[in-house]
Amino acid sequence: APMFSESLAEVTQRAEKLLGKVVVAKTLANPHPLIARLLADDEKRRQALINEPYAWRKPRFDEPLPRRRLKILNALFLILSKAGFKPSLRGEEAEELGVIVGNFNVSLTLTKVEQRSRPAKDKAAPPKPRLQLEIVNWAQGGEFPLNRWCDTEEILMEEHLPQIATNLLVAGEMLYRGHAIWDHKHLAERKT
C-alpha cells in the first residue's frame, strides 16, 4: 500500500512556505484574469441597459454582497496564481469554483448563508448577510484540516484567506493520497 512520509502538519507547513507571504488584495483595481472577464461582461450589461432600459440581462455584481464575493474570489485567485496554481471559474455568477493542485481539481463554494432571525421587539436592523466558503471534494478517510469558513460578527472571511489558500493546497495533496490509496486497493482487487 502507498506510504506517505509527510504528516498533515508537514504538508500544511510546505503549503505555507510555497505560498510565501500572503498579501490580500482588498479591491478589484488589479483583477485576476478570470475576475476581469466577469467584470467586463458586467460592464457590457451595464452599457446595454443605457441603450435599452428594459434589457433582461442586468449587471450581476453591482449589489454589495455579490461585489464582496467577487473581491474575496479575486484575492484568493491572485494568491494562488502567484504561487503557480491555476484557479478555475465557471458560470455566469461564478458558481463553479476550483483550483488545480497537481493533477486534481479542488472544488470550493462561496455562498450566502441564509440566516434565520427571530422578530426583534425593538425592530433592530436585520442581520448583515454572511458568506461561507467551503472546500467540497475531500478524499475520504484520514485526517483533514479545516474546510469551512463563515463570516462572524467579529471576523470576516477576508481575514481567513491565507489559511483558506493553504488548506486548498493541502486538500489537493489529500485528494492525491486518497486516489493513490484507492488505485492500490483497486489493483489489488483486480489481481485477486
Side-chain angles (χ1 to χ4, degrees):
M3 300 295 291
F4 306 102
S5 59
E6 285 182 307
S7 68
L8 185 61
E10 291 169 328
V11 171
T12 303
Q13 286 176 347
R14 187 163 49 100
E16 288 170 348
K17 186 177 179 183
L18 186 62
L19 288 170
K21 185 177 184 226
V22 174
V23 179
V24 176
K26 297 191 187 313
T27 67
L28 292 170
N30 249 347
H32 184 275
L34 294 173
I35 303 299
R37 196 173 66 215
L38 290 175
L39 291 171
D41 187 47
D42 242 23
E43 186 57 35
K44 286 179 190 172
R45 290 170 183 242
R46 205 171 288 109
Q47 292 303 318
L49 276 178
I50 293 171
N51 299 333
E52 189 181 330
Y54 299 105
W56 63 276
R57 296 188 77 203
K58 310 264 190 263
R60 299 161 303 205
F61 303 106
D62 284 348
E63 297 293 319
L65 191 66
R67 192 75 173 180
R68 180 171 166 245
R69 184 175 176 271
L70 216 53
K71 287 178 185 177
I72 291 170
L73 290 175
N74 183 56
L76 186 61
F77 286 2
L78 288 173
I79 291 168
L80 293 166
S81 294
K82 182 181 169 195
F85 296 93
K86 185 178 179 186
S88 63
L89 177 146
R90 290 192 334 211
E92 284 195 352
E93 295 187 24
E95 307 90 34
E96 297 177 41
L97 308 166
V99 61
I100 306 295
V101 180
N103 293 330
F104 294 91
N105 182 37
V106 181
S107 299
L108 60 133
T109 59
L110 181 57
T111 55
K112 178 182 174 184
V113 176
E114 296 299 328
Q115 298 180 51
R116 296 180 186 150
S117 59
R118 295 182 181 159
K121 292 179 182 177
D122 59 356
K123 296 184 182 178
K128 288 184 178 179
R130 295 182 182 182
L131 290 173
Q132 174 178 293
L133 188 142
E134 183 177 5
I135 302 172
V136 292
N137 63 334
W138 290 92
Q140 297 299 312
E143 55 181 330
F144 302 117
L146 183 65
N147 71 329
R148 182 181 294 147
W149 297 264
C150 189
D151 287 332
T152 64
E153 293 293 326
E154 300 81 28
I155 300 173
L156 293 176
M157 179 83 58
E158 290 83 345
E159 295 180 41
H160 295 292
L161 285 177
Q163 182 189 28
I164 292 168
T166 300
N167 287 9
L168 281 165
L169 301 185
V170 173
E173 175 71 17
M174 300 313 282
L175 285 170
Y176 162 75
R177 291 181 181 194
H179 180 73
I181 291 167
W182 177 87
D183 197 38
H184 174 266
K185 182 180 171 186
H186 179 72
L187 286 172
E189 287 172 358
R190 281 187 62 194
K191 186 174 181 182
T192 301

